[in-house]
Every structure is written in structure tokens, then in C-alpha cells.
Amino acid sequence: MGVKRGLLIDYEFCLGCSECETACMAAHGCGPDMMGIKVTKLGPWKTRDGAWQYDFVPIPTDWCDLCAERLNKGNRPACVRHCQYGVITYGSIDELVSFVKTKPKMMLFTPKSPDNV
């Protein structure tokens, strides 16, 4: 069995530019009804400590296959390649988990596909 891979999303620094969405649609030749990643806005609202929360969170969808076709050619997933702020990282789950332990506002995504290698 191969190494399980995924995406690590550090949404603390996402500015909501939606380049990941655009790159995904271009890589797969699809429209906004079938994209593999969607940027969602959280807030603005006041938190318990009185600060304001206003975040953009790139969320992979069930359409995401980690750009299997791109990976087979030795390339990174389109969302990772085109994220201007380095918010999305691709790698092995073990490698990505080590980053999750370093800071808040991170999400780890693994696709549904059983052949996730």
C-alpha cells in the first residue's frame, strides 16, 4: 500500500482570492458546480474575547482527487501550484500532521478515494 497523501490548509493567511478555485476548474475543465475546492467566508463576528473573526477558508469538496492526473505527470495539485500565499500544502499525511501541531487555524484534508497514493 502506498503513502496516504492529502492537503494541509493554513487558513490563517488566506485572503479569499479564489485562485485555488480557478486553478481547479481550469485543471479539470469544469465549472463552479463541480470544483474540487471552494473558498468559504467566515464572519465577520465578535469572538468570546471581543476580537473580530473574519476568515476565508479553502475547503476541498468530494470532487477533489488531489489532481491525480497532474500528480501522475510529476506536478503538484493545481490549487497548491496556484495559491499565491502558500496557504495550501500537498504531502504525505505524516508530514502534514507534523505541521498541524505547529500552529492554529489549519485543516488536514484527505480525499475519499481508496487509491490515495
Side-chain angles (χ1 to χ4, degrees):
M1 182 175 208
V3 175
K4 205 162 163 73
R5 302 207 173 263
L7 299 174
L8 180 64
I9 299 169
D10 179 353
Y11 65 94
E12 181 177 15
F13 298 107
C14 180
L15 298 179
C17 72
S18 298
E19 277 298 312
C20 55
E21 293 177 346
T22 303
C24 178
M25 288 186 287
H28 295 286
C30 60
D33 57 336
M34 294 177 10
M35 69 178 79
I37 193 161
K38 176 74 178 141
V39 178
T40 303
K41 181 177 81 170
L42 295 176
W45 50 59
K46 275 197 171 186
T47 62
R48 292 178 196 202
D49 64 1
W52 285 92
Q53 179 173 5
Y54 190 74
D55 293 311
F56 293 98
V57 184
I59 301 172
T61 72
D62 286 349
W63 284 96
C64 181
D65 64 356
L66 297 176
C67 287
E69 196 171 299
R70 288 179 55 82
L71 293 176
N72 289 337
K73 296 177 182 175
N75 297 314
R76 296 178 291 166
C79 62
V80 176
R81 163 74 175 79
H82 291 278
C83 179
Q84 299 173 31
Y85 304 101
V87 168
I88 307 170
T89 305
Y90 168 76
S92 74
I93 298 302
D94 292 336
E95 173 187 46
L96 298 175
V97 165
S98 68
F99 292 125
V100 170
K101 295 176 184 178
T102 65
K103 62 185 295 294
K105 294 197 173 189
M106 296 184 102
M107 293 186 314
L108 183 59
F109 169 78
T110 58
K112 287 175 135 181
S113 172
D115 56 333
N116 175 14
V117 291

